[in-house]
Amino acid sequence: MAGLEDLYKEIVIDHYRSPRNRGELVSPPAKHAEGFNPLCGDEVQVWIDLEGDTITNVAIGGQGCSISQASASMMSAAIKGKTIAEIGELTVAVKSMMSVHEHALEDDDSGVLPEPPDVELGDLEALKGVVKFPVRIKCATLSWNTLVEALNN
Amino acid sequence: MAGLEDLYKEIVIDHYRSPRNRGELVSPPAKHAEGFNPLCGDEVQVWIDLEGDTITNVAIGGQGCSISQASASMMSAAIKGKTIAEIGELTVAVKSMMSVHEHALEDDDSGVLPEPPDVELGDLEALKGVVKFPVRIKCATLSWNTLVEALNN
Amino acid sequence: MSSEPFDVAAVRSDFPIFDEPINDRRLVYLDSSGTSQKPRAVLDAMTDFYESANANVHRGAYFLSDLASRRMEGARSKVAKFIGATDSAEVVFTKNATEAINLIAGSWGRVNLNKGDAVVLSMLEHHANIVPWHMLAQERGIEIRFLPVTGDGQIDLTDLDRWFDGANLVSLSAMSNVTGALTDLERVVTAAHAAGALVALDACQLVPHLPTDVAAIGADFMAFSAHKMCGPTGVGVLWARRELLEAMPPFMGGGGMIANVTTEGFTTTELPHKFEAGTPPIAEIIGLGAAVDYLSALDMHEVRRHEVELTAYFLRTIKERHGDDVVVHGPAEPSQRGGVFSFAYKDVHPHDLSQVLDQRGVSVRAGHHCAKPFMTQLGVGATARASLYIYNDESDVDELVDALSDASELFSF
Amino acid sequence: MSSEPFDVAAVRSDFPIFDEPINDRRLVYLDSSGTSQKPRAVLDAMTDFYESANANVHRGAYFLSDLASRRMEGARSKVAKFIGATDSAEVVFTKNATEAINLIAGSWGRVNLNKGDAVVLSMLEHHANIVPWHMLAQERGIEIRFLPVTGDGQIDLTDLDRWFDGANLVSLSAMSNVTGALTDLERVVTAAHAAGALVALDACQLVPHLPTDVAAIGADFMAFSAHKMCGPTGVGVLWARRELLEAMPPFMGGGGMIANVTTEGFTTTELPHKFEAGTPPIAEIIGLGAAVDYLSALDMHEVRRHEVELTAYFLRTIKERHGDDVVVHGPAEPSQRGGVFSFAYKDVHPHDLSQVLDQRGVSVRAGHHCAKPFMTQLGVGATARASLYIYNDESDVDELVDALSDASELFSF
Ligand SMILES: Cc1ncc(COP(=O)(O)O)c(C=O)c1O
Ligand SMILES: Cc1ncc(COP(=O)(O)O)c(C=O)c1O
């Protein structure tokens, strides 16, 4: 539909249709967190198996709109096998891809945008279009916030 | 001052200047109540000695604007020697002199005004001008409300 | 009057927001149960107040302050009349319906409910009528019972005697903001009072849409918000029976609600001011007064008739065009419901659905509608919701029905 | 800019209420500490919102709802900036300052204060900063201490170490609404924190009149109302440090403040929404944003400079014309006060005085100014009070001074 191509990129729809790493892990030992988007009812569950500093397995549960579920699926694919430090960088990169714009929309005229870390985003890049639809930013960042919480648990 | 003659009638000013029955009675036996006008700080104290059904003595205390104090003074003069039944009638008459208008100002368009009891008001009639100054109605009725309270104590 | 059709075009022309395209599209506003649009008369009443009568109320001997007070109290009388209350001191202004329900829980509840006492809610309540009771339960250990909901989205009123047995308060929505279902208030009030329980009504969706008469309903408390009935944001109403209000302690303390204050304590002033601490939403109350005038001039019976007709059209049309691809929650019979429709379309997520509809200016809400327990029962995280009001007509319904096909196109898998 | 005179005529022309006579008289509005008048820009911002962006916030995926949310959150950022808060989530919108203080008492107070704990107030507090603590004292048996007031109407700050010893919270007005006295905040904050007490400021009279920087002041809580600073009725602000807000339980429950709700309980969402249950005063918040823009454009340093000059003129002129017939409460030194003057004229009762002044359009308030304990200390039931703001000039003061002679005429006995 005219105007929505930036939001509903083919790769986003693909992750929504065929979510990667869907399931549950036994917790403990898996770290687990549950995230809600209280405004629209999206829900994401994240399970993570860690070996030392490295994520060896991920599972995603929950329900919600195409953006929240595609974002979770993309995230699960992107973080598997990565170290916590790498994931930290990735999280910052993804969030700054969104939140820079989030701020701009909140009338913050500071004008100084922090330089995002130089990280390969891969598929995740497809979510960049979300920034044109500010209400959906929270859908896209939900899984990342839930990941941070899982890692802290 | 132009426009204020209806409010500050000579007899009102006279009662304010030389309040009647100013003082206190020993309570008990005297019935006593204290009334506040929380909006403007007027304060009226009423003491009443009863013999059977008849008010044998009245004392008035408190402080406040000319209208509240003059009204209390006029009331004290009007009720001394009267029976409770007579005072009931007088209270209704005085209040309806005011409150009819109070309602009219509150956009009550019922249009039906209750017939006030046919009672001789004497000096109290001078307070009729208060209805043109709706904010002062509460000053004028304070002593009467306090009287009712004292009788109920 | 009831033989003439309801003149939606005339009504629309009273609402400035429909004058110009929004985001380059004709605004098809279908979220009036979220908040209604505002007629010019309401905006003018507030602007006029600020431009010619603005002062603080009840506090000065000067002309302007008296004028402001009388306008505000005049609005209170109008609101009382609009809901059938004969005593305008029973109308307490709050900031919204949510504060009104918190006031019931925080004031009446705190002194009247103790460990073991019970409050009856239902599974389809708005969070505004759940969370205050959870908060009270945490504090005072009361029991909360949730009446079930029937398959067609109504509060299940079977077995009320058992549910109400030993309850102290029954607090229910008079019309659901999710399914539009109207609650049979007579049955609820009769059964609750028979069980010795008081009745509070969340009338947020009732008062804007149906003629309301508190005396006839016979409930004990009722809460609603101005912003859903053509009035401004920033003001809500708690109506309650005088004896209850008189016995209740204040909810908040401050200026305007006291008779006296010393370093030792305070005494409260008379109703309704006892519950209105601080400077009230003066202009907003006056705006609500104008909203009530506006709705009264339309005649609430006519408003209801229009909504029943449009509801019938909505249900019929969406079925004709989309058959089983659409599931509409709530009663099938228009007379048992208001014009609020939670619906699912194929397996398109509500959030995506509303995004696609928005592309055509069709504004519907997607989410849990502040009714998560009910969403959980439905087994969904969210629904899309369209809701109708006085300025909507068949063309708005048609626009929604057409736009649903776009979603089918985009998410056809 | 500070060498040019403050252009009152230009400011007045921004306020529609001064365009026409009120009650056939020129309006000499001297009750801005009761509520301020509103500039056109504020009224326009609200009308424009209703006419082109009205929808409920944070709840819909559609364009209009998103627009409304962004305008509201934009206003929050403006308010945060105006008071020097770097984190706009520390700005919680309430219905008025009174609710903000009730929130501190009802949320922070209820979980942090127990029998034997102490809150320090002063004898000149507004009821909004007394009654909530009396209510808490009734409930939880806390001690309330009242700092004395000096002869010239300032909070007496001698011996603070003794007063604050063992106190948990010090809650004081930053500027008195009765005497205009400014409180030495640095001294209060330093002494309170040294004693291990938190500091809450009733900044109702501070924020509208002086440049305010919460970071520099170093207090823990601050409350103020929009309607006294060119903004609309129906919205107030609680600012508090993030750590405090995060640890506090919600004050009211309902939509918008939850992360999840089940039949068993609920969890709260993030700041500031956790404290904003129900539909917020959306248009009013946007109006407050416009008020903050308006005041910022004037420059709060210039506003303060104007008020100090006019205060000096007031004190000088009234003395010259009426000598000892007038007693003005409060500090004699303009730099130590704002333009709020409680005064007595001969033995004319304040209520009569304001009635006589009103006859000339001079609008001053008469009463206890919601500060009964202070009135009791002064030994009066009421005072007359004149207060100045950006649209007042020397001619308003002259008008008041002239009108006082009328009272002398009428009550010359
Ligand atoms: C010092 C002070 N505190 C508190 C208040 C209460 O403000 P509001 O009535 O807007 O809640 C006021 C104004 O009335 C005030 O001047
Ligand atoms: C049924 C119902 N109850 C309560 C509310 C809460 O109203 P408000 O947000 O105006 O307090 C709403 C609207 O959001 C509602 O629809």
Side-chain angles (χ1 to χ4, degrees):
Chain A
M1 250 210 89
L4 290 178
E5 313 79 5
D6 287 332
L7 183 62
Y8 297 124
K9 292 246 172 71
E10 213 166 297
I11 192 155
V12 173
I13 296 287
D14 178 63
H15 273 270
Y16 179 44
R17 235 181 266 195
S18 324
R20 324 297 198 261
N21 302 301
R22 190 87 192 164
E24 293 187 23
L25 300 179
V26 182
S27 171
K31 284 167 173 284
H32 173 231
E34 195 175 351
F36 286 108
N37 182 342
L39 301 176
C40 62
D42 290 335
E43 188 195 326
V44 166
Q45 308 233 22
V46 176
W47 286 266
I48 290 165
D49 277 339
L50 276 177
E51 263 182 47
D53 245 19
T54 304
I55 293 190
T56 53
N57 207 358
V58 191
I60 299 292
Q63 54 178 8
C65 69
S66 58
I67 305 300
S68 68
Q69 302 306 305
S71 170
S73 167
M74 287 171 162
M75 178 186 82
S76 73
I79 63 176
K80 219 193 294 199
K82 292 241 163 63
T83 65
I84 290 188
E86 287 168 331
I87 285 167
E89 282 218 312
L90 196 60
T91 306
V92 174
V94 170
K95 288 190 124 196
S96 76
M97 180 173 86
M98 316 278 186
S99 64
V100 163
H101 298 260
E102 211 173 294
H103 272 173
L105 285 162
E106 275 186 20
D107 275 6
D108 180 338
D109 47 12
S110 68
V112 194
L113 304 177
E115 198 63 44
D118 190 16
V119 179
E120 194 57 63
L121 287 171
D123 278 12
L124 293 167
E125 195 92 46
L127 285 173
K128 196 162 187 170
V130 171
V131 297
K132 288 196 194 160
F133 300 84
V135 269
R136 307 306 288 275
I137 292 175
K138 289 208 167 174
C139 311
T141 52
L142 177 62
S143 51
W144 292 90
N145 292 334
T146 312
L147 171 65
V148 170
E149 227 186 275
L151 288 171
N152 290 337
N153 278 355
Chain B
M1 249 209 91
L4 291 178
E5 312 79 5
D6 287 333
L7 183 63
Y8 296 125
K9 293 246 171 72
E10 212 165 301
I11 191 154
V12 172
I13 296 287
D14 178 61
H15 273 270
Y16 179 44
R17 230 181 269 195
S18 321
R20 324 295 198 261
N21 303 302
R22 189 85 194 166
E24 293 187 23
L25 299 179
V26 182
S27 171
K31 284 168 172 281
H32 174 230
E34 196 176 349
F36 285 108
N37 182 340
L39 301 176
C40 63
D42 289 335
E43 187 196 328
V44 166
Q45 309 233 22
V46 176
W47 285 265
I48 290 165
D49 277 339
L50 277 177
E51 261 181 50
D53 245 18
T54 305
I55 292 190
T56 52
N57 208 357
V58 190
I60 299 292
Q63 53 176 11
C65 68
S66 58
I67 304 301
S68 68
Q69 302 307 305
S71 169
S73 167
M74 288 170 161
M75 176 185 84
S76 72
I79 63 176
K80 219 192 295 198
K82 292 239 162 62
T83 64
I84 290 188
E86 287 168 331
I87 284 165
E89 282 219 312
L90 197 58
T91 307
V92 173
V94 170
K95 287 189 127 194
S96 77
M97 179 174 85
M98 317 278 184
S99 64
V100 164
H101 298 260
E102 211 174 298
H103 273 173
L105 286 161
E106 272 185 21
D107 274 5
D108 180 338
D109 47 10
S110 67
V112 193
L113 303 177
E115 197 64 45
D118 191 16
V119 179
E120 193 56 65
L121 286 172
D123 277 12
L124 293 167
E125 195 93 44
L127 285 173
K128 198 160 188 173
V130 171
V131 297
K132 290 196 191 160
F133 299 85
V135 269
R136 306 306 288 277
I137 292 175
K138 289 208 167 172
C139 309
T141 51
L142 177 62
S143 50
W144 292 90
N145 292 334
T146 311
L147 171 65
V148 171
E149 227 185 275
L151 287 170
N152 290 337
N153 277 354
Chain C
M1 191 173 164
S2 65
S3 58
E4 285 172 41
F6 190 82
D7 190 348
V8 176
V11 170
R12 284 179 73 87
S13 71
D14 293 334
F15 288 73
I17 202 163
F18 297 118
D19 288 353
E20 304 283 338
I22 300 282
N23 200 21
D24 298 329
R25 293 154 195 136
R26 170 168 108 80
L27 175 63
V28 180
Y29 188 71
L30 296 173
D31 191 20
S32 293
S33 55
T35 199
S36 76
Q37 295 303 336
K38 323 299 173 198
R40 197 170 286 106
V42 168
L43 306 184
D44 286 351
M46 293 191 287
T47 302
D48 178 64
F49 167 72
Y50 283 127
E51 292 190 348
S52 67
N54 177 64
N56 214 326
V57 292
H58 299 316
R59 292 187 183 172
Y62 58 96
F63 177 84
L64 211 55
S65 170
D66 181 47
L67 191 63
S69 306
R70 280 190 283 136
R71 289 221 194 157
M72 181 178 123
E73 294 308 322
R76 194 190 305 272
S77 304
K78 289 177 188 181
V79 172
K81 204 165 169 183
F82 188 72
I83 60 169
T86 49
D87 181 355
S88 68
E90 292 181 339
V91 170
V92 172
F93 290 117
T94 58
K95 67 174 170 178
N96 51 27
T98 301
E99 184 192 343
I101 301 175
N102 278 273
L103 197 166
I104 305 172
S107 167
W108 181 86
R110 269 215 189 94
V111 294
N112 287 288
L113 298 180
N114 295 297
K115 198 166 168 55
D117 287 340
V119 172
V120 181
L121 311 176
S122 88
M123 283 303 293
L124 56 60
E125 296 309 312
H126 189 281
H127 294 160
N129 191 29
I130 302 176
V131 182
W133 306 111
H134 275 324
M135 287 168 66
L136 194 68
Q138 283 173 7
E139 193 182 306
R140 312 190 56 82
I142 60 166
E143 175 199 352
I144 302 177
R145 301 177 192 163
F146 288 87
L147 286 175
V149 174
T150 64
D152 63 348
Q154 289 179 299
I155 302 175
D156 188 342
L157 300 186
T158 51
D159 241 357
L160 282 191
D161 294 346
R162 191 173 57 78
W163 280 97
F164 291 177
D165 184 41
N168 306 68
L169 178 75
V170 172
S171 186
L172 296 177
S173 82
M175 171 175 142
S176 164
N177 71 312
V178 183
T179 66
L182 289 164
T183 305
D184 183 340
L185 299 180
E186 198 180 330
R187 231 168 113 189
V188 166
V189 170
T190 307
H193 284 171
L198 295 179
V199 177
L201 295 180
D202 175 350
C204 281
Q205 301 296 338
L206 183 76
V207 174
H209 299 284
L210 283 91
T212 304
D213 183 343
V214 288
I217 294 171
D220 302 286
F221 301 97
M222 194 169 89
F224 56 101
S225 270
H227 69 91
K228 295 183 200 280
M229 53 190 287
C230 298
T233 52
V235 61
V237 174
L238 171 69
W239 169 86
R241 286 196 296 108
R242 178 180 267 278
E243 313 85 85
L244 291 167
L245 289 175
E246 275 178 350
M248 283 157 60
F251 181 51
M252 294 196 229
M257 51 70 76
I258 59 99
N260 197 20
V261 178
T262 67
T263 55
E264 301 307 312
F266 70 98
T267 51
T268 56
T269 190
E270 77 266 30
L271 295 179
H273 309 293
K274 174 175 151 187
F275 293 104
E276 295 177 352
T279 302
I282 307 170
E284 293 72 19
I285 291 169
I286 289 165
L288 172 58
V292 151
D293 283 344
Y294 183 81
L295 289 172
S296 300
L298 290 180
D299 183 346
M300 288 305 295
H301 293 92
E302 289 303 299
V303 167
R304 172 65 181 153
R305 187 168 67 97
H306 167 67
E307 290 188 29
V308 169
E309 283 172 14
L310 202 53
T311 293
Y313 182 79
F314 181 101
L315 293 170
R316 191 168 70 235
T317 311
I318 208 160
K319 201 91 233 156
E320 277 169 18
R321 278 286 297 280
H322 295 287
D324 291 342
D325 286 345
V326 164
V327 176
V328 178
H329 304 287
E333 174 52 56
S335 68
Q336 287 178 21
R337 60 175 300 149
V340 180
F341 311 93
S342 278
F343 62 95
Y345 179 70
K346 293 187 173 171
D347 58 358
V348 181
H349 190 276
H351 218 171
D352 293 313
L353 199 56
S354 95
Q355 184 86 60
V356 172
L357 300 181
D358 191 37
Q359 213 58 20
R360 292 222 200 186
V362 177
S363 301
V364 306
R365 200 166 137 186
H368 52 62
H369 316 299
C370 297
K372 289 206 93 174
F374 186 49
M375 293 293 122
T376 306
Q377 170 172 325
L378 287 178
V380 299
T383 71
R385 185 187 72 184
S387 52
L388 307 169
Y389 206 21
I390 47 180
Y391 32 68
N392 293 119
D393 63 11
E394 301 189 350
S395 78
D396 294 330
V397 176
D398 293 343
E399 200 59 58
L400 166 68
V401 167
D402 287 350
L404 283 177
S405 306
D406 297 344
S408 170
E409 218 173 275
L410 198 69
F411 289 91
S412 54
F413 49 88
Chain D
M1 189 173 166
S2 64
S3 57
E4 285 173 39
F6 189 83
D7 191 348
V8 176
V11 170
R12 283 179 74 87
S13 70
D14 292 334
F15 288 74
I17 201 162
F18 298 117
D19 288 353
E20 304 283 337
I22 300 284
N23 200 19
D24 297 328
R25 294 155 195 134
R26 168 168 111 78
L27 175 62
V28 181
Y29 188 73
L30 295 173
D31 191 20
S32 293
S33 55
T35 199
S36 76
Q37 297 302 337
K38 324 298 176 198
R40 196 170 285 108
V42 167
L43 306 183
D44 286 352
M46 293 191 288
T47 303
D48 178 65
F49 166 72
Y50 282 127
E51 293 191 349
S52 68
N54 177 64
N56 214 324
V57 293
H58 299 316
R59 292 188 183 172
Y62 57 95
F63 177 84
L64 212 54
S65 171
D66 181 46
L67 191 61
S69 307
R70 281 189 283 134
R71 288 219 194 158
M72 181 178 123
E73 294 307 323
R76 195 192 302 275
S77 304
K78 287 177 190 181
V79 172
K81 206 165 166 183
F82 188 70
I83 59 168
T86 49
D87 181 355
S88 69
E90 292 181 338
V91 170
V92 172
F93 290 116
T94 58
K95 67 174 168 177
N96 51 26
T98 301
E99 184 192 345
I101 301 175
N102 278 273
L103 198 167
I104 304 173
S107 168
W108 181 86
R110 269 214 188 92
V111 295
N112 287 287
L113 299 180
N114 294 298
K115 199 167 167 56
D117 286 341
V119 172
V120 181
L121 312 176
S122 86
M123 284 302 294
L124 56 59
E125 295 310 311
H126 189 283
H127 296 160
N129 191 30
I130 302 177
V131 182
W133 305 111
H134 275 324
M135 288 168 66
L136 195 68
Q138 282 173 5
E139 192 181 309
R140 310 190 58 80
I142 59 166
E143 176 199 351
I144 302 178
R145 302 177 191 164
F146 287 88
L147 285 176
V149 173
T150 64
D152 63 347
Q154 289 179 298
I155 302 175
D156 188 343
L157 300 186
T158 51
D159 242 357
L160 283 190
D161 293 347
R162 190 173 57 80
W163 280 98
F164 291 177
D165 184 41
N168 305 68
L169 178 74
V170 172
S171 187
L172 296 177
S173 82
M175 172 175 141
S176 164
N177 71 312
V178 183
T179 67
L182 290 164
T183 305
D184 183 341
L185 300 179
E186 198 179 329
R187 231 168 113 187
V188 167
V189 170
T190 307
H193 285 171
L198 295 180
V199 177
L201 295 179
D202 174 350
C204 281
Q205 300 296 339
L206 183 75
V207 174
H209 300 284
L210 284 91
T212 304
D213 182 342
V214 287
I217 293 171
D220 303 286
F221 301 97
M222 195 168 87
F224 56 101
S225 268
H227 69 91
K228 294 184 201 280
M229 52 190 287
C230 299
T233 51
V235 60
V237 174
L238 171 69
W239 169 86
R241 285 194 297 107
R242 178 181 269 278
E243 312 87 84
L244 291 167
L245 290 174
E246 276 178 349
M248 282 156 60
F251 180 52
M252 294 196 228
M257 53 70 75
I258 58 99
N260 197 19
V261 178
T262 68
T263 55
E264 301 306 313
F266 70 100
T267 51
T268 55
T269 188
E270 77 267 29
L271 296 179
H273 311 293
K274 174 175 149 187
F275 293 103
E276 295 177 352
T279 302
I282 306 170
E284 292 73 19
I285 291 170
I286 289 166
L288 173 57
V292 151
D293 282 344
Y294 183 80
L295 289 172
S296 301
L298 291 182
D299 183 345
M300 287 306 292
H301 293 92
E302 290 302 300
V303 168
R304 173 63 182 156
R305 187 169 66 97
H306 167 66
E307 291 188 28
V308 169
E309 283 172 12
L310 202 52
T311 293
Y313 181 79
F314 182 101
L315 293 171
R316 193 169 65 237
T317 310
I318 209 161
K319 201 89 233 158
E320 277 170 16
R321 279 286 297 280
H322 296 286
D324 290 343
D325 286 345
V326 165
V327 176
V328 178
H329 304 287
E333 174 52 54
S335 67
Q336 288 178 20
R337 62 176 299 149
V340 180
F341 311 93
S342 279
F343 61 95
Y345 178 71
K346 293 186 173 172
D347 57 357
V348 182
H349 189 276
H351 218 170
D352 292 312
L353 199 55
S354 96
Q355 185 86 59
V356 174
L357 299 181
D358 191 36
Q359 213 57 21
R360 291 218 199 189
V362 177
S363 302
V364 305
R365 199 166 137 186
H368 52 61
H369 316 298
C370 297
K372 289 205 93 173
F374 185 49
M375 293 293 123
T376 306
Q377 170 171 327
L378 286 179
V380 300
T383 71
R385 186 187 72 183
S387 53
L388 307 169
Y389 205 20
I390 46 179
Y391 32 67
N392 294 119
D393 63 10
E394 301 189 351
S395 77
D396 294 329
V397 176
D398 293 342
E399 201 59 58
L400 166 68
V401 167
D402 286 349
L404 283 178
S405 306
D406 297 345
S408 170
E409 219 173 277
L410 198 69
F411 290 90
S412 54
F413 49 85

